[in-house]
Amino acid sequence: MTAVLQPPLTPHPLLRLSLAPHSGLPHHIDGAWWPHSYDLLAELPRLLAGLPRTWGHIAGVTVNGATWPATPGRMLVLDQVVRLRRSTATSAPHTVCLLAPNRGRWDLLVVPPDTPQDTAEQLMAAAAVGGV
C-alpha cells in the first residue's frame, strides 16, 4: 500500500457536482460528479472539499479499476487519510462510492470528463432527481 501526499490545489474550473435531495429513503445513485480529468489524485480533493459537511469525513473511496488509472492505496486529502480502492465490478463502471464511518455510503454517477456539456448536464440533472 502506498501513501501519497496531495499537493495544494491548483486553480481549476468549479466543481461539477449535482446531488440528490436528502431524504430518509436510500437512493440507488446519490448524485453525479463530472470531473475534469481521470487524474484521481487531482480530482478527488476537489470532490471531497465540495461535499456537504453533513456527510462527515469520507474515509474510503471506491472507483472502478477499468475506468480510472492506477491509484495509490491511500492519500492525504484535507489533512485526513482517505483509503482508495479499485473495484473490478463491471456492473457500475461509471460510479464512485464514498464511505464515511458511522455516517453512511453515497454512490455518485461519474460523467466521463470528455462528455459534451449538454449531455453531461442532462445526466447530472437526472442523477439529482434519481432518474439515472
Side-chain angles (χ1 to χ4, degrees):
M1 192 176 309
T2 306
V4 174
L5 294 178
Q6 183 61 34
L9 298 178
T10 56
H12 253 280
L14 294 175
L15 173 65
R16 301 181 294 193
L17 178 67
S18 180
L19 300 176
H22 175 71
S23 71
L25 301 173
H27 297 279
H28 174 68
I29 291 291
D30 298 291
W33 173 42
W34 184 20
H36 296 276
S37 72
Y38 279 117
D39 181 355
L40 193 61
L41 299 180
E43 298 289 345
L44 189 60
R46 285 183 186 81
L47 172 63
L48 298 184
L51 295 175
R53 296 267 181 229
T54 57
W55 287 19
H57 165 63
I58 301 298
V61 175
T62 302
V63 297
N64 186 280
T67 304
W68 296 88
T71 58
R74 59 186 162 177
M75 66 186 283
L76 188 63
V77 178
L78 304 172
D79 295 325
Q80 296 185 334
V81 174
V82 176
R83 298 182 70 83
L84 302 175
R85 294 176 186 87
R86 295 180 75 209
S87 169
T88 57
T90 57
S91 60
H94 296 289
T95 61
V96 61
C97 175
L98 309 171
L99 300 170
N102 302 314
R103 291 288 180 105
R105 168 188 169 149
W106 295 272
D107 294 295
L108 300 177
L109 171 73
V110 177
V111 178
D114 57 352
T115 303
Q117 184 169 347
D118 58 336
T119 303
E121 288 173 351
Q122 290 173 3
L123 288 168
M124 293 182 72
V129 295
V132 175

